[in-house]
Amino acid sequence: MTVREGLEQTERASLKLIEVNQMITDALLHAFLFTWQWWLGVILFIVPWALWILFRKKSSTGRLLGCAFLTIALSLLIDLISLSYGLWSYPMKFSPISPILFLPYHLALAPVAIMFVLQIKPRANPLLKGSIFAAIAAFGGMNVFNALDFYNPKDWSTFYDFFVFLFLFFSSYWLFHMHGYEKIVAEEKVD
């Protein structure tokens, strides 16, 4: 295959992706919108952030938000790779904007849960905290989402989800405990 043929092939694939997004949007608008599952998904976008705003450790807001954004980025990256290989899928859709990845797991549940775990008992053993979080998220949360048809693990083991959540926790733990969160001070001019 030449470069030109490769470019043409990727253009045809892009058109198919647009068609797939249109099919998903059609399902959202005509099957999912305003169902109890859709409302639950919307609530799962909003309530975790509202709870975090109320109960966060205010002196650590910046660090915690940095960890949340890292969690969002990593979970989106993991899902993007996994979805492209068909390892799992998310049948229920909540938004016509980027319907494949605009989900409450990435943008609210995982980041807010990790922020709460980081601020609860900050001196506790991180392996213990991370393992408890990963076990609840993988064996509890993912199985509930599977039962609600929010998540289809296909042949993916919940045991693997445990390690995904453990990775997300330790990535945020590392960022949260990183030194160097000092304010940037403007340098004085020397004449």
Side-chain angles (χ1 to χ4, degrees), residues 8 21 27 34 41 50 58 61 67 80 82-83 88 92 94 100 119 130 133 136 139 142 144 153 177 187:
E8 291 169 1
N21 278 332
F34 304 123
K58 293 174 183 45
T61 297
C67 295
L80 187 61
S82 299
L83 290 169
W88 62 72
M92 179 61 67
F94 304 97
I100 293 175
Q119 69 183 30
F133 162 73
I136 292 169
F139 300 113
M142 298 310 286
V144 168
H177 288 80
E187 293 182 27

Side-chain angles (χ1 to χ4, degrees), residues 125-137:
N125 182 324
L127 182 58
L128 179 63
K129 280 176 56 169
S131 296
I132 292 170
F133 162 73
I136 292 169

Side-chain angles (χ1 to χ4, degrees), residues 15 26 32 36 39 45 66 90 102 112 124 126 138 156 173 186 190:
L15 293 174
D26 185 58
F32 304 146
W36 71 267
W39 282 112
F45 271 114
Y90 299 105
F102 195 76
V112 171
W156 186 260
Y173 180 85
V190 179

Side-chain angles (χ1 to χ4, degrees), residues 2 25 47 54 59 64 68 71-72 81 106 109 123 126 132 151 153 162 182:
T2 67
T25 298
V47 170
L54 292 173
S59 63
L64 290 169
T71 301
I72 291 168
I81 293 166
H106 309 113
L109 293 173
R123 299 203 196 297
I132 292 170
Y151 169 65
F162 172 84
E182 296 177 18

Side-chain angles (χ1 to χ4, degrees), residues 27-118:
L28 168 68
L29 295 175
H30 297 102
F32 304 146
L33 194 62
F34 304 123
T35 61
W36 71 267
Q37 296 97 329
W38 183 83
W39 282 112
L40 178 59
V42 170
I43 289 167
L44 292 176
F45 271 114
I46 297 167
V47 170
W49 284 107
L51 291 173
W52 181 77
I53 288 168
L54 292 173
F55 298 110
R56 75 188 188 279
K57 183 177 178 189
K58 293 174 183 45
S59 63
S60 297
T61 297
R63 283 179 187 245
L64 290 169
L65 281 175
C67 295
F69 290 127
L70 177 64
T71 301
I72 291 168
L74 289 174
S75 65
L76 285 171
L77 181 62
I78 291 166
D79 270 356
L80 187 61
I81 293 166
S82 299
L83 290 169
S84 66
Y85 285 104
L87 298 177
W88 62 72
S89 66
Y90 299 105
M92 179 61 67
K93 305 302 179 191
F94 304 97
S95 169
I97 301 166
S98 187
I100 293 175
L101 293 176
F102 195 76
L103 301 168
Y105 331 107
H106 309 113
L107 302 176
L109 293 173
V112 171
I114 286 176
M115 288 190 296
F116 275 127
V117 172
L118 287 171

